[in-house]
Amino acid sequence: IKTLDVDGAGKCEMAWFEQEVDHFAWEPVNGSTTWEHRYFLCEPKDTKKPANGAPRPIFFYCGNEANVELYVNNTGLMWENAGDMGALMIFAEHRYYGESWPFGTEAASTKREHLKFLTHEQALADYAHLILYLKDRLSLRDSPVVAFGGSYGGMLAAWFRQKYPHIVSGAIAASAPVLAFGSWDDTSYWAAVTRDFSPAGGCSPGCAEAIRAAWTPLFSRGSTPAGRAELSRVFGMCAPLQTATDVDHLAQMVAMALDTLAMGNFPYPSSYLSDPSSPLPAWPVREVCKRMDAAAAGDELSLLAALRDGSAVLYNASKTLRCLEIPHDQSYAGIWDYQFCTQALPQESYFGRTGDKDMFYPFRKSKGDVDKHCLHKYGVVPSRGWIEESYGGVDGLMQSSNIVLSNGGMDPWSSGGVNTSLSESVVSLWVPEGAHHLDLFFSREEDPPSVRAVRKAEVEAIRQWVGQAPDVAKG
């Protein structure tokens, strides 16, 4: 049995649960209807009895598009408060990620005919079945459940509360772009990335302008064989740039690096968005801007070298990279690309850029281009209106209750989030200095006061939902 010791906060035991391959049909798939779903059952180091004589609560993490151990080891908001509230913690892995493969292996599960079972509805049904099973097995039938999640996991937490309110008493949905659908302006995402590289993000006034200025010499050189050879040398490419398309891919690679650094613009070193052995520095965007600010004025090669060195804050965080290789996957999404190609779950590599609202260059994938890509790769086209039809956007949230939606001023995904409270119990919390779901992480000395205040508000909401608030005792 695999166990995890989480930063001295407590221990987890890995377990498996027999889930349905398809919760919404009755016929066997390949002769079987079930698969083994991985989850972790976790106990904090010191657990008190629940206040007010309330039943023991369950804190449930809605796993998203990665190995669930990433969230087990980083979701400090759960670990730091579970003991005080006497809560049991469950971290569930999302189907088709980590080790949770409905057809046994990654190769078998990602065959085109098997991918149709990768939907967020199937994942939520997995979570509902798992919770009901554990409540029965552990004699916790009366236990209130609080869903937690960040990013896509935050979307799942909010939707879990909307779709299964009889199972989930409340949801902490951090950095959840639940409004990034339909008529939402996707160029606002890259404008939000740009904000991190401005004085509002703690950078010099010239940083974003220097990045914007670097694209012109990059693309002009990319239009000729001699220019591409020069770019290959400046960027230290593993393979020479042969075509203008190769240069487009290099530009996209740099843009995605700057995007990831904005998401990971935390006030302390962190490996959450990088290789665990090579953490990003504190405030990594400011490190990029130091390099851009050092470029010689009017020197195009110096500007391009600064852009290279800026993207290396991510790509060469280990400082051992010998050359730069363009990823084969131009979606930068892995299997998440299928979720974009079916239910239009947001993926920034497809979002438009203007070159004036942001520090990048004009970029737009047409609906036809996207459909062609999705048809070629998966045999599907996106159902672009499905999420809004299913959950109703703002209107749907206003009909719900007990959802906290937190966002950060440093996080590009805040552009697709709920940034205004919708009712007394569907509440928006704002972290001005917060990058991607900073509030979910373990408390650190470097945390800004704003995230401390948001965590306090989140804990107060959770206490209300699980019947442990001081005013409940008085009433």
Side-chain angles (χ1 to χ4, degrees), residues 28-327:
V29 180
N30 287 0
S32 175
T33 63
T34 62
W35 62 286
E36 293 297 312
H37 180 201
R38 187 168 75 135
Y39 68 96
F40 284 84
L41 206 59
C42 303
E43 290 278 2
K45 186 176 181 180
D46 299 307
T47 304
K48 299 179 181 177
K49 288 185 178 181
N52 307 336
R56 186 180 196 192
I58 295 171
F59 288 0
F60 185 89
Y61 189 91
C62 299
N64 35 314
E65 72 282 24
N67 185 313
V68 73
E69 294 179 42
L70 177 68
Y71 313 116
V72 173
N73 287 302
N74 284 281
T75 312
L77 184 69
M78 292 173 64
W79 283 102
E80 291 175 351
N81 295 286
D84 197 43
M85 295 191 213
L88 173 72
M89 291 177 287
I90 304 167
F91 291 82
E93 192 159 69
H94 195 295
R95 55 169 60 200
Y96 290 82
Y97 294 97
E99 297 179 17
S100 292
W101 299 107
F103 295 90
T105 64
E106 180 176 2
S109 300
T110 54
K111 288 182 178 179
R112 183 180 284 191
E113 64 267 26
H114 292 161
L115 280 173
K116 63 183 177 181
F117 304 106
L118 172 53
T119 69
H120 83 274
E121 291 96 340
Q122 296 281 8
L124 289 178
D126 289 339
Y127 299 161
H129 277 248
L130 176 60
I131 287 170
L132 294 177
Y133 160 75
L134 288 173
K135 289 180 80 168
D136 184 63
R137 195 195 94 185
L138 302 174
S139 300
L140 295 172
R141 294 176 185 84
D142 296 327
S143 292
V145 177
V146 178
F148 293 76
S151 196
Y152 173 46
M155 298 163 78
L156 291 171
W159 293 340
F160 204 7
R161 170 61 183 165
Q162 287 183 271
K163 197 174 183 70
Y164 295 92
H166 59 293
I167 294 177
V168 178
S169 298
I172 301 294
S175 294
V178 292
L179 303 183
F181 302 93
S183 60
W184 175 68
D185 177 10
D186 61 4
T187 65
S188 65
Y189 179 90
W190 291 101
V193 172
T194 301
R195 183 183 183 276
D196 277 46
F197 293 81
S198 74
C203 295
S204 69
C207 180
E209 285 302 320
I211 293 171
R212 182 185 286 116
W215 303 113
T216 297
L218 187 149
F219 286 116
S220 65
R221 282 169 170 76
S223 64
T224 68
R228 289 191 289 272
E230 189 172 43
L231 287 176
S232 299
R233 178 182 59 77
V234 170
F235 280 87
M237 306 305 299
C238 298
L241 300 166
Q242 302 282 3
T243 66
T245 299
D246 288 345
V247 176
D248 290 341
H249 290 170
L250 171 63
Q252 178 77 329
M253 185 179 181
V254 172
M256 293 300 292
L258 301 179
D259 160 50
T260 300
L261 292 167
M263 279 195 288
N265 201 19
F266 304 126
Y268 46 75
S270 170
S271 59
Y272 186 75
L273 294 176
S274 66
D275 187 286
S277 64
S278 305
L280 298 177
W283 301 117
V285 165
R286 298 177 189 179
E287 295 301 315
V288 175
C289 286
K290 288 178 184 176
R291 290 152 175 77
M292 298 308 301
D293 293 342
D299 185 333
E300 291 185 344
L301 287 179
S302 177
L303 195 60
L304 290 170
L307 191 65
R308 172 202 66 205
D309 294 343
S311 63
V313 173
L314 175 69
Y315 291 136
N316 197 17
S318 68
K319 297 181 173 59
T320 61
L321 193 69
R322 299 183 65 181
C323 60
L324 190 64
E325 187 170 6
I326 294 173

Side-chain angles (χ1 to χ4, degrees), residues 340-341 350 364-377 380-382 384:
F340 168 81
C341 279
Y350 292 99
R364 168 63 64 187
K365 279 190 178 289
S366 70
K367 178 177 177 290
D369 287 341
V370 169
D371 289 355
K372 182 178 178 181
H373 160 76
C374 293
L375 273 170
H376 174 74
K377 192 172 182 181
V380 299
V381 294
R384 293 177 172 85

